[in-house]
């Protein structure tokens, strides 16, 4: 592993890409500490301590702690993610958007442009809502979070937060184009990983005070290692459907029979289901922070992480969104038609409707396994925090994103290393024909 990292800096092109991505991430982390004007930071920090387990806490996780401090990057990259998901769903619902997506590179660039516009619109709406909410917030002693409320503060907050999100979006696109890995994913990854030092310091403090024993910490470390290994295994897991192609005559050339496969991932939906599920369930808890009504407060507390009602609804919504998002992104009928047009068939299955039914059946079983796997990973933090009193959050959407982004980035670096005949991260792996 150490040799592989040393090899990175022996390839000028790869070295330049890695250093560029690291530089952009450093700029992002600096921006996460530049406060928005007009805020009482101390009063806001007290408010966010009471907002743990709500939608605000989840958004703060994706922003790397920038929302809790209300920095210029407080909105993070969530508006861009939301806009991307919206346009991805529109490709299935709206025929004109679907037609645009099938126009190749030109259509893809148009959709990206619309996604940027949607990001700005969502940022303006969210920033305005945050400014209104901040004016109503008070610290534990009754002090105002916003000492000078009014339209001046609202407009300044909207411009600052929207500009911050637009700048993050630009950073991500620059990293994808000139750096290594997917820029947007790396920004989310950086925000999640930035919490590790604080978690380690909190753990050390609890060990010193005797609230957390070293034995329990070792057991938890083994569990964490096993969970990460399981996530890597499941994220790489796929069912390969064999596809056979008959002999074809194209022009004056005759192509012989060939065999291929159609890979179907176990986790086809990725991290979208837990994000959607968390957003829906945490909404009542978020509203409860602003409404001082007894029954609303009781309902919001019952739907916070750690309560059995929250966990049940969380799992149900994850399973639902796993099937929903998989059905949106993968159409067995279209895949069966494409295979048939190319002269292919699945052994033992007739082309056409039987092929689409077979793919639908396989995908249903895989999606169920993937939904159970995602649910187990997402419920894990509540178990670790509730049973072992851990001072940090491990598992859930953060773990899925961190492991997935790490695997994709290392895979791209591995490809560069092996292409240039350098030893990669996987010892003993060689390209066919390479000595």
């Amino acid at each position: 592993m150490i040799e592989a990292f040393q090899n990175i800096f022996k390839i000028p092109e790869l070295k330049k890409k890695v250093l560029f991505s690291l530089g952009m991430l450093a700029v992002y982390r600096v921006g996460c500490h530049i406060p928005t004007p007009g805020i009482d930071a101390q009063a806001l920090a007290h408010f966010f301590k009471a907002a743990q387990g709500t939608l605000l806490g989840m958004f703060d996780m994706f922003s790397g702690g920038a929302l809790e401090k209300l920095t210029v990057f407080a909105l993070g990259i969530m508006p861009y993610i939301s806009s991307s998901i919206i346009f991805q769903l529109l490709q299935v619902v709206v025929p004109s958007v679907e037609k645009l997506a099938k126009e190749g590179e030109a259509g893809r660039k148009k959709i990206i442009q619309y996604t940027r516009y949607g990001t700005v619109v969502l940022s303006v709406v969210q920033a305005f809502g945050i400014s209104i909410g901040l004016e109503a917030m008070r610290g534990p002693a009754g002090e105002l979070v916003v000492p000078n409320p009014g339209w001046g503060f609202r407009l300044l907050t909207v411009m600052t937060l929207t500009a911050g999100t637009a700048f993050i979006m630009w950073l991500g696109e620059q990293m994808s184009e000139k750096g290594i890995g997917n820029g947007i994913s790396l920004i989310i990854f950086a925000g999640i990983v930035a919490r590790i030092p604080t978690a380690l310091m909190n753990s050390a403090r609890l060990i010193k005070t005797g609230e957390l024993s070293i034995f329990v910490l070792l057991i938890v470390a083994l569990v964490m290692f096993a969970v990460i290994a399981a996530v890597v295994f499941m994220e790489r897991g796929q069912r390969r459907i064999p596809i056979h192609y008959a002999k074809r005559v194209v022009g004056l050339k005759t192509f012989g029979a060939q065999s291929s496969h159609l890979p179907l991932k176990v986790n086809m939906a990725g991290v979208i289901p837990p994000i959607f599920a968390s957003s829906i369930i945490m909404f009542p808890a978020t509203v409860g922070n602003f409404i001082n009504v007894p029954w609303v407060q009781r309902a919001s507390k019952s739907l916070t992480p750690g309560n059995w009602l929250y966990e049940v609804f969380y799992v149900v919504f994850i399973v639902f969104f796993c099937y929903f998002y998989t059905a949106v992104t993968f159409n067995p009928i279209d895949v069966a038609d494409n295979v048939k047009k190319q002269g292919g068939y699945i052994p033992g299955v007739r082309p056409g409707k039987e092929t689409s039914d077979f793919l639908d059946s396989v995908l249903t079983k895989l999606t169920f396994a993937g939904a159970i796997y995602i649910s187990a990973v997402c419920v894990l933090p509540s178990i670790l925090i509730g049973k072992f009193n851990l001072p940090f959050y491990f598992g859930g959407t953060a773990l899925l994103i961190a492991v997935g982004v790490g695997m994709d980035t290392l895979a791209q670096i591995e490809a560069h290393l092996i292409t240039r005949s350098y030893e990669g991260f996987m010892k003993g792996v060689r390209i066919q024909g390479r000595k």
Side-chain angles (χ1 to χ4, degrees):
M1 181 70 74
I2 296 176
E3 183 183 352
F5 278 108
Q6 291 175 345
N7 290 336
I8 292 175
F9 298 95
K10 296 179 182 179
I11 305 175
E13 179 187 357
L14 181 57
K15 176 183 176 181
K16 183 178 179 181
K17 286 178 175 290
V18 171
L19 292 178
F20 182 85
S21 293
L22 292 176
M24 293 295 100
L25 289 177
V27 172
Y28 166 69
R29 290 308 303 166
V30 170
C32 289
H33 295 278
I34 302 176
T36 301
I39 300 293
D40 185 342
Q42 190 173 3
L44 184 64
H46 286 299
F47 177 84
F48 263 90
K49 283 184 180 179
Q52 294 299 321
T54 67
L55 200 58
L56 294 175
M58 188 185 74
F59 286 161
D60 187 50
M61 178 189 70
F62 283 110
S63 66
L67 181 59
E68 182 178 358
K69 302 171 186 175
L70 205 76
T71 68
V72 293
F73 290 166
L75 292 180
I77 201 64
M78 282 300 291
Y80 181 84
I81 296 174
S82 302
S83 181
S84 300
I85 294 173
I86 289 172
F87 277 97
Q88 194 171 8
L89 296 176
L90 287 178
Q91 293 178 25
V92 182
V93 179
V94 181
S96 58
V97 181
E98 181 184 5
K99 181 181 178 182
L100 190 63
K102 294 180 179 179
E103 291 181 0
E105 186 66 19
R108 188 183 69 86
K109 288 183 177 179
K110 272 289 185 184
I111 291 179
I112 291 176
Q113 186 177 3
Y114 293 150
T115 303
R116 293 170 182 163
Y117 295 152
T119 301
V120 173
V121 172
L122 289 176
S123 298
V124 170
V125 174
Q126 291 181 13
F128 184 75
I130 287 176
S131 66
I132 297 294
L134 287 171
E135 291 180 346
M137 293 180 187
R138 293 181 180 271
E143 67 274 22
L144 291 172
V145 173
V146 181
N148 300 306
W151 278 103
F153 168 76
R154 296 170 191 173
L155 293 176
L156 180 61
T157 302
V158 169
M159 288 189 293
T160 303
L161 299 187
T162 303
T165 297
F167 184 71
I168 294 176
M169 181 173 60
W170 178 82
L171 281 180
E173 292 178 352
Q174 292 299 307
M175 289 168 62
S176 299
E177 181 181 350
K178 301 177 182 179
I180 195 77
N182 183 286
I184 301 298
S185 300
L186 284 174
I187 287 175
I188 300 174
F189 177 82
I192 294 172
V193 173
R195 294 173 172 267
I196 293 179
T198 303
L200 294 176
M201 288 189 292
N202 289 338
S203 300
R205 178 178 53 81
L206 290 180
I207 291 176
K208 287 182 179 180
T209 57
E211 298 179 49
L212 182 66
S213 67
I214 297 179
F215 177 75
V216 171
L217 190 61
L218 290 175
I219 296 297
V220 171
L222 291 176
V223 172
M224 291 167 62
F225 180 81
V227 170
I228 293 174
V231 171
V232 172
F233 177 78
M234 294 298 291
E235 290 297 320
R236 289 186 177 273
Q238 56 182 225
R239 168 76 182 274
R240 296 186 174 185
I241 308 296
I243 305 291
H244 290 183
Y245 296 93
K247 288 184 178 182
R248 294 179 299 164
V249 178
V250 180
L252 300 177
K253 293 183 179 181
T254 301
F255 295 90
Q258 298 177 344
S259 297
S260 181
H261 67 271
L262 175 66
L264 298 178
K265 292 185 64 177
V266 175
N267 182 19
M268 188 77 75
V271 297
I272 300 300
I275 291 177
F276 278 11
S278 299
S279 300
I280 292 176
I281 301 177
M282 289 182 178
F283 183 74
T286 306
V287 173
N289 283 331
F290 301 96
I291 301 177
N292 192 18
V293 179
W295 70 268
V296 174
Q297 294 287 333
R298 289 194 298 270
S300 65
K301 287 182 179 179
S302 64
L303 291 176
T304 54
N307 292 309
W308 67 269
L309 188 62
Y310 169 87
E311 305 300 341
V312 170
F313 276 111
Y314 195 22
V315 171
V316 170
F317 277 118
I318 286 176
V319 174
F320 169 77
F321 283 116
C322 278
Y323 279 99
F324 174 77
Y325 196 76
T326 301
V328 168
T329 56
F330 186 91
N331 191 335
I333 297 177
D334 291 343
V335 174
D337 289 341
N338 291 333
V339 171
K340 183 178 180 180
K341 290 176 182 177
Q342 295 172 6
Y345 64 94
I346 299 174
V349 181
R350 294 177 62 87
K353 187 177 184 303
E354 288 191 16
T355 298
S356 65
D357 291 342
F358 174 79
L359 293 176
D360 184 61
S361 175
V362 172
L363 195 61
T364 300
K365 297 174 183 176
L366 286 177
T367 303
F368 179 76
I372 297 301
Y373 143 70
I374 294 177
S375 300
V377 174
C378 291
V379 172
L380 179 65
S382 299
I383 298 175
L384 292 178
I385 294 174
K387 301 297 181 182
F388 296 97
N389 194 29
L390 289 186
F392 56 85
Y393 184 94
F394 176 80
T397 311
L399 178 63
L400 294 173
I401 293 175
V403 173
V405 174
M407 288 169 54
D408 292 341
T409 305
L410 289 179
Q412 291 192 27
I413 296 176
E414 177 90 5
H416 278 84
L417 291 172
I418 295 179
T419 302
R420 298 299 185 90
S421 300
Y422 281 93
E423 188 70 50
F425 293 98
M426 302 296 292
K427 297 291 184 181
V429 177
R430 295 287 190 278
I431 294 179
Q432 187 177 1
R434 177 184 159 200
K435 296 182 181 180

